[in-house]
Amino acid sequence: MLARTGESWATARFEGRDATLEGESLAEEARAKVRASLENMFGVRAVRDDTTLLPERRPFTFSAVKDGRMVSLDGYVPSRYALARIIAAVNASGNSLTGQDRLVRARGAPPGDFAGLVEFALVQLERLPSGRITLSDGALSIEGRAPDLATYDSLSAVIHGPLPYGMTVARFAVRPPVASPFVWSASREGDTLRVSGFIPSEDARAEVSKLLIAALPGVNVRDDMRLADGAPSTDLWLKAVRYAGRLLAQVPQLQVTLADSTISVEGVAPTFAAFDVLAAARRTPPEGFQVTRFVVEPPRAAPFTWELVRTADAVRLNGYVPSDEARRQLLDAVRSAFPGVPVEDEMQLASGGPPAEVWGAGANFAVAQLARLRTGRVAASGTSLVLSGEAFDSAAYLSLVQAVKSVPAGLSASAQAVEPPRISPYVFSVRREGDGLTMSGFYPDEKAHRALLAALERDFLQEKVNDLSAVGGGAPVGFLPTALAGLGALARMGNGELTLTDAQLRLAGAALRGRVGGEIEDDLKRDVKSPFTVETALEVAPPGPLVGTQECQGLISDLMGRGTILFDSGSARIDRHSLGLLDRLVFVLQRCPSTMVEVAGHTDAVGEPPTNQKLSEARAAAVAAFLADAGIARERLVTTGHGATQPVAANDSEAGRIRNRRIVFTLKEGRGP
């Protein structure tokens, strides 16, 4: 009957027709209501009221603390019924329960279903690994740490959404999960800025928005940030966000990411000015942070040019470099190649260059060649290298010229503007002694060197050449024709030496016969042009000892085996380059004055036979005339021409025809003059 009145807190005990009313009431009105109901019951004679009035508690508090799978209760409940529901709710969650004996029944509970309010709060507490709920006069406080962002977001939505009747929110102190790493990122695409990752608080969210709007006015900010714990100091973190805003304001395509205390910057710089700002900012990160990743593509350089310049005092690097790593490697190479020399780095990062491996190979090649220059530069445009300057020494010059012929794959190089080391005074010398030649001093370039060697091979009867010469700059104008004229004169002498010192030619030594000295001087004065001057110190070589016909023939044959008497093409005119050989033939024939000399001319098979025959005879006669003019008695000389009738080689090749065009000397015993 009492339950039907809605006052289940009260019970009645009867002795006959007398009732005793017991229980703890939440209000005086409830006690009176129960007592009146019992007194008005049919058959009841008397009612003894043993009920008590529960103490009133203000505020009316209830709390539950969860630690793992353990829930501890404390505070007040309005009734045993409410207590039973609360205990049943905890047990249904599978948690262990303590503190139910500390729950005290009391008056002052908020209106409505107090147990229902507690059950709702316990459901929210169950979503936390650990935490606390507190009801104070129906105002709910909840604290703890969410296991993940989804739980945090869901719990926040529930607590801040519609609540059961009689419940309000006093405090939502659930902390978001710890984010490790604590990542925040801002990515700009033109006029849109997307901000994502974690923020340490809602106040920080508002501050981030304020900072970014101030740094990028007019840019649309899309906020995808979420709360999380684990950030560095909020003040330092916001300084890093302000730093990111300054970077984002420079470049329309950029992403800045904070991860714990590190900063990453990625994007494309539209101008060198913007890139320089980013690069400078990279070196001055905010307090507590460091830039660990900087992948900003610099502007494109077209053409992609750079240069290394070697001055007397320093090495200077100008132009573009494709990456910081390439810059570091280049600087290391330069400092290694030029120890102790100041290095001035004025290079600028840019894109648009050759592949990294090609650029690196070109840079190493350039440094190696620059080290061979006293002063100079290596200028690069794309994959082409141009070297200029003065070589350190002759060996360095030749090494550089050779290196340019085999540049690394993908590159081309030119050293036409590289000069050999300047020599002063400029000296060149050839000494002829016995059957050997020693060439020393300097020549201006490899072309001149080859011409000098060719003259020695052609005019000096295959004498052994000891080449001690080297390339050198500073040769006087007209060096090569003057040197060749001097070699032509030296070829007509016995022992002797040709020396060029700046613009002076000096020839000293022994002429093979008296008249030759005068001819040499006359030829030099005719052939040597200003600004060169000629000085000679010539004497006549003493005649050789007399020899017999057979030995004389051997000496003549040796000379003809090492040289050839040359004629103008199709003519009997003796080539001047054969004068040295003819002078030596005269010198030998003077040692066997009693021998008869047959001079026989031979030609190749080209042309009509009568022509060949006449040409061979005319050439033999020209040689005999030279010998006679040089002092060989005319009656000792006999000439004949065989045309092409006695070839010594096939006439189907130029080499064979050259061998067939020859003069043959045959010596026989005879009466002298």
Side-chain angles (χ1 to χ4, degrees):
M1 183 272 292
L2 293 176
R4 288 197 302 271
T5 66
E7 303 296 338
S8 58
W9 56 272
T11 60
R13 179 166 50 83
F14 285 88
E15 291 182 3
R17 294 173 59 196
D18 297 331
T20 301
L21 188 61
E22 298 175 340
E24 295 175 325
S25 175
L26 294 175
E28 186 62 42
E29 293 80 2
R31 295 178 68 190
K33 177 182 177 181
V34 170
R35 189 169 54 247
S37 298
L38 191 59
E39 288 173 343
N40 293 327
M41 184 181 296
F42 177 78
V44 175
R45 183 177 59 188
V47 177
R48 179 184 174 182
D49 187 358
D50 286 342
T51 62
T52 60
L53 187 63
L54 290 174
E56 185 176 16
R57 294 291 181 257
R58 289 284 187 267
F60 194 92
T61 60
F62 174 88
S63 68
V65 177
K66 183 173 184 287
D67 184 7
R69 304 308 299 173
M70 176 66 71
V71 175
S72 179
L73 306 179
D74 201 354
Y76 305 111
V77 291
S79 65
R80 290 188 180 90
Y81 172 73
L83 174 61
R85 283 180 60 186
I86 292 170
I87 291 174
V90 173
N91 290 334
S93 68
N95 294 312
S96 299
L97 177 64
T98 63
Q100 60 267 40
D101 55 339
R102 292 193 298 271
L103 293 177
V104 178
R105 294 188 301 279
R107 289 182 297 138
D113 184 4
F114 179 80
L117 299 182
V118 172
E119 288 172 340
F120 173 84
L122 288 173
V123 169
Q124 312 316 315
L125 181 64
E126 180 61 23
R127 303 174 73 174
L128 303 177
S130 61
R132 174 194 296 271
I133 58 165
T134 301
L135 281 169
S136 179
D137 294 336
L140 174 65
S141 295
I142 181 168
E143 57 187 287
R145 184 182 298 280
D148 51 56
L149 285 171
T151 299
Y152 177 86
D153 291 343
S154 175
L155 191 57
S156 177
V158 169
I159 297 302
H160 294 96
L163 298 174
Y165 173 77
M167 178 178 280
T168 60
V169 177
R171 180 167 175 257
F172 181 77
V174 175
R175 300 176 67 184
V178 174
S180 182
F182 192 90
V183 177
W184 177 90
S185 180
S187 179
R188 181 182 176 187
E189 288 289 339
D191 293 335
T192 299
L193 180 67
R194 180 177 179 270
V195 188
S196 59
F198 306 119
I199 51 172
S201 66
E202 287 299 331
D203 289 342
R205 182 193 300 275
E207 187 65 21
V208 167
S209 179
K210 176 182 175 182
L211 291 173
L212 294 179
I213 290 173
L216 293 96
V219 173
N220 179 35
V221 179
R222 176 183 170 186
D223 182 359
D224 291 329
M225 298 181 292
R226 307 177 73 181
L227 285 173
D229 265 355
S233 159
T234 300
D235 288 343
L236 295 181
W237 186 82
L238 287 173
K239 288 181 180 179
V241 171
R242 184 179 294 109
Y243 171 85
R246 292 199 303 270
L247 301 187
L248 291 162
Q250 298 295 323
V251 178
Q253 288 184 310
L254 193 72
Q255 178 172 323
V256 182
T257 301
L258 313 181
D260 292 336
S261 61
T262 67
I263 300 175
S264 171
V265 184
E266 301 178 58
V268 179
T271 65
F272 286 109
F275 185 84
D276 290 342
V277 170
L278 295 182
R282 176 187 185 183
R283 296 188 290 270
T284 56
E287 179 186 357
F289 285 77
Q290 58 180 334
V291 178
T292 57
R293 179 175 170 81
F294 186 85
V295 188
V296 177
E297 183 177 335
R300 185 176 184 85
F304 194 93
T305 58
W306 55 275
E307 67 173 3
L308 309 180
V309 180
R310 173 74 163 106
T311 66
D313 303 320
V315 175
R316 188 171 67 252
L317 285 61
N318 297 319
Y320 303 114
V321 63
S323 67
D324 283 326
E325 177 63 16
R327 182 198 302 273
R328 184 190 65 78
Q329 293 180 356
L330 177 58
L331 287 172
D332 287 347
V334 170
R335 290 178 180 130
S336 177
F338 300 92
V341 177
V343 179
E344 302 171 3
D345 177 16
E346 299 175 6
M347 301 190 84
Q348 193 170 29
L349 284 176
S351 60
E357 63 277 7
V358 174
W359 191 93
N364 289 332
F365 177 84
V367 171
Q369 306 322 309
L370 191 68
R372 292 173 167 143
L373 299 179
R374 188 182 306 276
T375 58
R377 66 197 289 261
V378 181
S381 178
T383 58
S384 298
L385 306 177
V386 177
L387 289 72
S388 59
E390 180 185 347
F392 195 83
D393 53 35
S394 298
Y397 176 80
L398 293 176
S399 296
L400 186 148
V401 171
Q402 190 62 36
V404 169
K405 297 177 182 178
S406 56
V407 296
L411 298 167
S412 63
S414 169
Q416 294 179 357
V418 174
E419 298 179 353
R422 295 192 66 82
I423 307 300
S424 181
Y426 201 89
V427 177
F428 172 78
S429 174
V430 176
R431 174 184 290 274
R432 188 179 200 182
E433 192 168 13
D435 288 333
L437 298 163
T438 299
M439 182 167 69
S440 59
F442 300 92
Y443 52 84
D445 51 45
E446 191 56 31
K447 181 179 179 181
H449 187 217
R450 290 194 299 269
L452 294 170
L453 289 175
L456 293 179
E457 181 180 2
R458 179 193 61 212
D459 299 345
F460 287 81
L461 306 179
Q462 301 180 16
E463 294 169 31
K464 182 179 179 181
V465 177
N466 183 22
D467 185 4
L468 303 178
S469 62
V471 66
V477 176
F479 168 85
L480 182 58
T482 302
L484 292 176
L487 289 180
L490 183 64
R492 300 193 67 182
M493 298 172 56
N495 294 336
E497 184 172 14
L498 166 70
T499 303
L500 276 73
T501 304
D502 288 335
Q504 183 186 53
L505 181 150
R506 186 175 189 277
L507 184 66
L512 292 175
R513 51 191 178 88
R515 286 176 51 191
V516 169
E519 293 175 3
I520 288 174
E521 290 184 354
D522 291 342
D523 289 345
L524 284 176
K525 290 178 181 179
R526 182 188 68 241
D527 295 337
V528 173
K529 309 299 182 183
S530 178
F532 283 89
T533 61
V534 176
E535 177 185 340
T536 60
L538 304 179
E539 58 185 24
V540 179
L546 297 179
V547 295
T549 300
Q550 184 174 356
E551 186 175 353
C552 194
Q553 177 72 69
L555 294 173
I556 294 294
S557 297
D558 177 65
L559 288 173
M560 296 306 296
R562 293 188 287 133
T564 301
I565 299 174
L566 303 175
F567 299 88
D568 290 349
S569 179
S571 167
R573 182 177 179 180
I574 298 173
D575 188 299
R576 62 181 297 182
H577 294 296
S578 296
L579 296 180
L581 172 58
L582 288 168
D583 286 341
R584 287 186 174 268
L585 288 170
V586 171
F587 186 78
V588 170
L589 290 174
Q590 287 175 337
R591 298 174 61 186
C592 49
S594 62
T595 60
M596 298 295 293
V597 182
E598 180 185 276
V599 183
H602 298 265
T603 62
D604 57 33
V606 176
E608 294 296 330
T611 303
N612 290 345
Q613 180 64 33
K614 291 180 181 180
L615 183 58
S616 66
E617 293 172 354
R619 286 178 172 178
V623 172
F626 180 91
L627 297 178
D629 186 60
I632 304 301
R634 181 66 190 176
E635 57 268 27
R636 293 178 58 193
L637 302 172
V638 177
T639 63
T640 182
H642 298 285
T645 61
Q646 297 179 11
V648 293
N651 282 293
D652 55 0
S653 67
E654 181 60 25
R657 291 191 289 272
I658 290 174
R659 290 183 61 193
N660 289 331
R661 297 192 292 266
R662 68 195 188 279
I663 298 294
V664 177
F665 294 90
T666 304
L667 275 59
K668 298 179 181 180
E669 292 287 350
R671 257 176 54 183

